[in-house]
Amino acid sequence: MRGFSICNLRLVFNLKSQILTIIMNEDLRFPIGKFDADFEVTAELRNTFVQTISDLPVKLATAIEGLNDEQLDTEYRPDGWTVRQVVHHIADSHLNSYCRYKLALTEEVPTIRPYFEDRWAELSDSKMPVEVSMKIIDGIHSRWANLLNSMSDVDFKRKLKHPESGEWTLEKMLGLYDWHSKHHTAHITDLRERKSW
Ligand code: NI
């Protein structure tokens, strides 16, 4: 191949390793894959989603059990959130979600208010001890699960509107938070496995 020097080879090698790094980082970022909204919600599936919401406080407590401050301040992937930020983010995200459920149950297709989760994770309260958010998650999930268990089929078909992604039924949104709960828990459990913590 004419003009294909060592420099070109190095370039190809560097590009290849850069692409590999990006792919590996994406795997670390999405340990259970990305959320796919293309599914039919059956009553059985809905029950498994409700169970995930009930179980998260215990599953998350198990995932972070015994971690010291240095470990909590370790990023789960290069340039990613620390374990501490992940825990505080779950509290931020799920308290918003809980409010959105209550809005959708009491108003006609309310438009919800998005927020910049990355900016929230940089605020001072995301550096607090994780126990603070574990208490929030415990309380929110207890009430959220109670609410979900009280909802009828008709309630689960109620909708809210996200300004960017459009209308969501509450049962479809529950699929998102089932995924979200497992997604962030896996960030922590995968990191511990890689680090042998
Ligand atoms: Ni998240």
Side-chain angles (χ1 to χ4, degrees), residues 5-6 9 24 33 41 58-59 68 91-92 104 110-111 113 120 125 139 141 148 152 172 175 182-183 190-191:
S5 66
I6 285 288
L9 272 173
M24 276 163 60
V41 185
V58 170
K59 292 233 161 124
N68 61 34
D92 286 347
T111 299
R113 174 71 169 77
W120 281 39
D125 59 331
H141 277 249
L148 293 168
S152 65
K172 187 63 87 151
K182 294 170 181 167
H183 166 72
D190 281 17
L191 174 71

Side-chain angles (χ1 to χ4, degrees), residues 15 18 36 52-53 71 93 113 133 147 150 153 157 189:
L15 258 174
Q18 270 174 30
D36 182 3
T52 303
I53 300 302
Q71 291 168 323
S93 166
R113 174 71 169 77
S133 277
L147 194 64
S150 78
D153 289 349
K157 300 282 181 212
T189 52

Side-chain angles (χ1 to χ4, degrees), residues 32-195:
I32 63 161
K34 290 187 183 177
F35 175 67
D36 182 3
D38 187 22
F39 60 91
E40 282 304 312
V41 185
T42 60
E44 200 185 357
L45 190 57
R46 217 167 57 196
N47 287 339
T48 68
F49 293 161
V50 175
Q51 196 59 48
T52 303
I53 300 302
S54 299
D55 291 346
L56 182 69
V58 170
K59 292 233 161 124
L60 194 57
T62 307
I64 61 164
E65 197 177 1
L67 292 180
N68 61 34
D69 276 336
E70 200 187 330
Q71 291 168 323
L72 288 169
D73 288 323
T74 304
E75 292 170 351
Y76 80 89
R77 67 173 170 88
D79 300 319
W81 282 336
T82 63
V83 172
R84 190 186 303 279
Q85 282 175 305
V86 168
V87 173
H88 290 307
H89 160 71
I90 295 170
D92 286 347
S93 166
H94 294 196
L95 66 87
N96 270 283
S97 173
Y98 174 60
C99 288
R100 290 167 180 177
Y101 268 78
K102 294 190 65 122
L103 289 172
L105 287 169
T106 54
E107 297 175 27
E108 286 312 307
V109 197
T111 299
I112 58 162
R113 174 71 169 77
Y115 63 100
F116 293 100
E117 56 181 35
D118 285 352
R119 297 183 196 170
W120 281 39
E122 295 303 324
L123 296 175
S124 143
D125 59 331
S126 288
K127 295 178 182 66
M128 290 179 80
V130 285
E131 289 72 25
V132 178
S133 277
M134 291 305 290
K135 281 186 204 162
I136 294 174
I137 293 164
D138 207 24
I140 292 283
H141 277 249
S142 176
R143 288 190 65 180
W144 194 4
N146 176 285
L147 194 64
L148 293 168
N149 280 316
S150 78
M151 285 167 59
S152 65
D153 289 349
V154 176
D155 289 334
F156 273 108
K157 300 282 181 212
R158 291 185 71 87
K159 289 176 180 170
L160 52 73
K161 191 178 171 190
H162 188 284
E164 283 133 39
S165 55
E167 290 191 357
W168 288 70
T169 61
L170 288 184
E171 61 184 11
K172 187 63 87 151
M173 210 170 94
L174 198 54
L176 175 64
Y177 286 93
D178 166 86
W179 171 85
H180 194 251
S181 300
K182 294 170 181 167
H183 166 72
H184 285 301
T185 307
H187 286 153
I188 302 169
T189 52
D190 281 17
L191 174 71
R192 291 189 78 154
E193 210 176 298
R194 289 200 307 280
K195 298 269 192 189

